[in-house]
Structures are given as C-alpha cells and as structure tokens.
Amino acid sequence: MTDDEIRGIMFDAFAAGTDTTSNTFCFVLYYITHHPEVKKKLLDELRTVFKDDLSRPVTMDDLNKLRYCEAIIKETSRIRPTVSMVSRFGDQVDEVAGYKWPADILFIMYVRGINNNPRYWKDPEKFNPDRFYDPKEIEKQQKFAFTMFGGGVRMCLGRNLAMIEMKILLASLYRKFDVELVDMKAPLHVTTSTVTICQHLDVRMIPKTELC
Ligand code: HEM
C-alpha cells in the first residue's frame, strides 16, 4: 500500500470508529444504571463466565459466551442508535418500495424510527435486552427492523471490531467496578447530527473486591 492509502485507512478507522463506539458505550452505561434488573443479569453472566477472577484477560471463548452483554449493547443501540440515519444517493432513475424515483436523489433512512417502530417491536419504549434472545425478534432483525451498523455493500466494516471492543470494555469495567450515575434524575444530554453525541455523563466508579 502507498502511504496515502495507509493514511486513508487509518483516518477511516479513527473517524468512523472512535465517536461511534465511545458514545454507544456511554448510552450503554446510562441504560444499565437505570435498570437494576439488567445490571443483575449482567453480573450473573460475568460470574458464570469469569467465576471469581476479577482480572484475567478476556479471551475469544469468553466473548462468545457474553451473550447478555451483546444483548445489552444491541438493545441500547435499538432504543438510542448512535448513528440515527443512513443515506444512499441514487444517481439513476429507480424503483424503490413500489415508487418510481428520479435520478440524483438522496434517500435518508431514519434508523431510530425503524428501530422503535411499534409495528415491529412490542413496547418499543421499554429497555429490554431479553428481546435479543427471542428468536422471533432476531428474525425481525434480519428483515431490517433493527439496524445498528447500516446494511448492504456499504455496511459498517468495523462492526465486528466495535462489538468486540464494547463487550470487552463492558465486562472489564463491571468485573472491577460498580458504576453509578452521579445524578440519576439527569436526562441523557445529547446532540444529534450524523452521530448522536453524549455531551456529558457523570459517573462514579467504585472499585470492587469481589464480583457481586
Ligand atoms: C458502535 C460502533 C459503531 C457504529 C454504531 C457504527 C455504525 C456505522 C454505520 C451506521 C455506518 C453506515 C453504514 C451504511 O451506510 O450502511 C458505518 C460505516 C462505516 N464504519 Fe462504522 N460503526 C461503528 C464502529 C466502527 C469502527 C470501530 C470502525 C473501524 C475501525 C468503523 C468503520 C466504518 C467505516 C470505514 C464505514 C464506511 C463504510 C463504507 O462506506 O463502505 N465503524 N458505521
């Protein structure tokens, strides 16, 4: 590869992979702290996978077992997607969804609307990671009722890395710390453009001596 290609690839990873992952993680913490029953199930899973060990490194095998961690991340991204819209430019006359569209048109898919559409999701306003265990809900994801990383040929190419990063961070954090919000009554402070940014989230991290 040329220096320019290497620079371009690094830029893609930094630009597309930093804010997306870090903001998603802030939303994950916000929803866990507001749902003690979810936190309990998360700790149960961590205890099952890591036993009493608070510090051994996370392995690939562990990652495959952290299914509830993954469900929390997906449910957070369903209810509060970090990338709330995805666009496509049509440079030719086309037919989409039974309609004829002129050339040079920008299609914007409102991800947050799809992910929270009551036609596809029961009680969409409820934060319920369990729905990602339900085979029927998983089937809906395949029909694009859930979009976290876009779709088709331009789908996020960092999606597997992002999920690995967030699962490792979630497991590592809750193995060693209890996480509390400084102000439980404060709403999420966000600004939305292409990426929804968590402007600030004040958390208190209390070191743990055992996984409970
Ligand atoms: C939670 C984390 C992330 C989320 C929610 C996310 C979401 C997205 C979305 C929605 C798209 C647009 C897909 C489409 O148009 O169909 C995208 C594109 C992209 N993402 Fe991610 N992403 C994340 C992490 C990452 C990471 C870690 C990397 C790289 C290290 C990355 C690299 C890219 C690149 C290069 C594209 C452009 C792909 C293309 O246009 O062909 N993303 N991402």
Side-chain angles (χ1 to χ4, degrees), residues 12-14 16-18 20-21 24 77 82-83 85-88 147-159 161-162 165-166:
D12 272 354
F14 288 138
T18 310
T20 44
T21 315
T24 302
S77 301
T82 308
V83 182
M85 53 189 83
V86 169
S87 58
R88 292 290 184 271
T147 304
M148 175 175 176
F149 293 112
V153 288
R154 304 308 296 265
M155 190 174 193
C156 174
L157 51 78
R159 59 193 183 277
L161 173 66
E165 285 174 346
M166 290 186 290

Side-chain angles (χ1 to χ4, degrees), residues 17-193:
T18 310
D19 272 1
T20 44
T21 315
S22 57
N23 284 296
T24 302
F25 198 74
C26 289
F27 301 144
V28 166
L29 291 186
Y30 176 86
Y31 282 102
I32 295 175
T33 46
H34 277 276
H35 295 84
E37 73 292 354
V38 170
K39 183 172 153 189
K40 186 180 171 307
K41 285 180 89 167
L42 164 67
L43 293 175
D44 286 346
E45 178 170 90
L46 296 181
R47 256 190 309 271
T48 307
V49 175
F50 298 101
K51 313 290 180 234
D52 294 331
D53 194 325
L54 299 185
S55 56
R56 79 164 168 75
V58 181
T59 64
M60 254 341 255
D61 188 41
D62 298 330
L63 283 175
N64 294 330
K65 291 180 189 154
L66 294 174
R67 286 191 52 228
Y68 195 67
C69 282
E70 185 158 329
I72 293 175
I73 294 165
K74 286 184 176 166
E75 177 64 350
T76 302
S77 301
R78 183 193 65 76
I79 209 160
R80 159 62 65 196
T82 308
V83 182
S84 50
M85 53 189 83
V86 169
S87 58
R88 292 290 184 271
F89 183 76
D91 63 352
Q92 298 167 17
V93 174
D94 208 344
E95 192 178 315
V96 178
Y99 295 93
K100 288 221 160 31
W101 300 90
D104 298 333
I105 195 162
L106 184 68
F107 293 92
I108 296 181
M109 284 148 278
Y110 184 47
V111 170
R112 196 164 178 209
I114 299 167
N115 286 4
N116 287 274
N117 190 329
R119 276 164 66 189
Y120 308 115
W121 299 98
K122 187 168 177 289
D123 303 326
E125 70 293 345
K126 284 205 179 129
F127 181 75
N128 174 19
D130 281 350
R131 62 174 101 232
F132 283 95
Y133 276 111
D134 181 344
K136 281 193 211 130
E137 297 296 341
I138 289 166
E139 197 184 305
K140 284 179 194 165
Q141 288 176 44
Q142 289 158 4
K143 290 180 182 162
F144 305 113
F146 172 66
T147 304
M148 175 175 176
F149 293 112
V153 288
R154 304 308 296 265
M155 190 174 193
C156 174
L157 51 78
R159 59 193 183 277
N160 291 333
L161 173 66
M163 197 49 94
I164 289 172
E165 285 174 346
M166 290 186 290
K167 280 166 76 171
I168 292 181
L169 186 54
L170 188 54
S172 306
L173 191 65
Y174 277 89
R175 280 164 81 196
K176 291 196 173 182
F177 298 94
D178 201 11
V179 184
E180 290 176 356
L181 290 186
V182 171
D183 181 359
M184 283 295 282
K185 292 195 181 124
L188 261 177
H189 297 282
V190 296
T191 47
T192 298
S193 60

